Every structure is written in C-alpha cells, then in structure tokens.
Amino acid sequence: KEAYPGNYGDFIGIAPNANLIVLKALNYQGVGNISNVIKAIDYAISVKGTYKIRVMNLSLGAPVLQSYKTDPLCQAVERAVKAGIVVVCSAGNYGHNNVIVGYEPSGKPIYQTVFGGITSPGNDPLVITVGATKNPQESILKWHYDPTMGTNVVDIDANPRPLRRTDLEISGFSSRGPTLVDGLIKPDLVAPCIKVFGA
C-alpha cells in the first residue's frame, strides 16, 4: 500500500469549488455497454437545469467503427452539446503498439507510435478531446516508509523546477489522430497526466 504524504485537504485540484454529479455507466473494471453510457448522457441532459450541469467529462472510449455522423455514442454527446453542456472526452490509451523501437537511458522500452487511435466519442468534432503529456526529465519519485501513517509515502520536492511547455511530450500511451473513418485532427488539447499533484 502506497500513499502520498499529507492530510485530507493538503492538495486541491484545478476546480476545488466545483460540484460533481457522478453517473455510473461502467462496472468496477471500467467495462460496460455503450447503451448504458448513452442513457447516462441523456439523463444528464434531462437534469441539466435542476443540477446546473455545465460540463460533462467522459473518461472512456469505444472503438471507432463508423463515422461520428452515425455513431450512436457520438450522437448522444452531440445532444449534450446542443443542450448547452461542454463535453470533454479522453483521447484514449492506444498511442503505441507492442513493437519495441528503442530504449530510454533508464532501460525502459520505447514502443512504436500508433496513429488513428482516438476513441469514440472523442472522435466527434463537437467535443473537446484531451490527450496526455509527460515530462521525460521528471525525476523518479522516492518512497519511504512512514511509521506514523503505517504505509509508504512519496518524498515531494518542496522547490520543484518550474515546468515549461517545451519540457513536455505526448505520453506514449495517449491516443493520437487523425481519427479513423473521418480523418479529423484530434486531440484538441493535451495536459500533464503522470504524477500530477494539486497545489
């Protein structure tokens, strides 16, 4: 068991005052039916006014088997956008295959990049599709056992070096475009995703 040091409330996210409405459409393994996801999207649209829903996050994805113009999942997110909800979707986790093309100085394998891995509904032009970045110069976090917590904790640098845009690269696992079938440029933006701490 490992934990980050600190107490509840020591770390905050980017929107600490946001109210969340959580709709469960997948099981504990992240598996489910597209029909359940569509039902959840339609439910969120139906209660938009009641709960003041302004943004919908879909950190899930299905294979792209048809144009976004006919894909039922894409049609559902378009209904949400047309209802005034900003829809944010993950790009997917299909940024590489299992072919090793080299090794990092640490010995970690570098896998062959795959293009066209954006998942549905992230392939829809009306949603904001988000990919993942990493800092390749990031030092490996060091863990130690903290007897007061009874678990391993990570040592955090109290004075980290400021991160610049040029320090980042697309994470190997993060899906890249263009989208299958429609050939759209995606993702729309990328953001740090590995070992991210609040402020």
Side-chain angles (χ1 to χ4, degrees):
K1 180 179 175 185
E2 296 173 336
Y4 295 111
N7 302 303
Y8 178 78
D10 284 354
F11 301 101
I12 58 173
I14 196 165
N17 295 319
N19 294 315
L20 301 178
I21 307 298
V22 180
L23 302 176
K24 184 176 179 181
L26 306 177
N27 68 16
Y28 71 96
Q29 295 175 317
V31 178
N33 297 320
I34 291 174
S35 60
N36 288 339
V37 177
I38 292 170
K39 286 177 189 175
I41 293 168
D42 286 335
Y43 177 77
I45 294 168
S46 73
V47 297
K48 172 187 178 284
T50 304
Y51 296 107
K52 299 181 175 71
I53 297 174
R54 299 185 310 161
V55 179
M56 179 183 297
N57 174 60
L58 294 169
S59 295
L60 52 81
V64 174
L65 304 175
Q66 58 191 307
S67 170
Y68 72 88
K69 297 171 187 174
T70 56
D71 181 334
L73 187 52
C74 290
Q75 295 306 297
V77 294
E78 287 194 7
R79 286 193 296 277
V81 171
K82 289 172 184 167
I85 300 172
V86 175
V87 179
V88 181
C89 298
S90 59
N93 296 328
Y94 302 103
H96 67 76
N97 59 26
N98 291 328
V99 176
I100 297 173
V101 295
Y103 293 89
E104 293 180 5
S106 65
K108 185 177 176 182
I110 300 170
Y111 295 97
Q112 184 178 52
T113 300
V114 170
F115 297 94
I118 302 292
T119 56
S120 172
N123 64 319
D124 193 291
L126 297 186
V127 304
I128 299 171
T129 306
V130 182
T133 62
K134 70 174 184 176
N135 177 4
Q137 304 305 317
E138 180 181 38
S139 60
I140 296 173
L141 296 174
K142 296 184 172 84
W143 298 85
H144 72 273
Y145 182 76
D146 184 337
T148 61
M149 293 180 69
T151 185
N152 289 325
V153 295
V154 67
D155 295 318
I156 299 175
D157 186 350
N159 298 299
R161 183 178 66 82
L163 188 64
R164 297 175 184 84
R165 185 180 302 192
T166 54
D167 293 334
L168 300 175
E169 64 183 41
I170 302 296
S171 296
F173 65 84
S174 188
S175 292
R176 296 158 169 84
T179 63
L180 292 179
V181 182
D182 299 297
L184 302 176
I185 303 300
K186 289 279 187 170
D188 299 295
L189 61 93
V190 292
C193 73
I194 298 173
K195 298 176 185 171
V196 176
F197 291 92

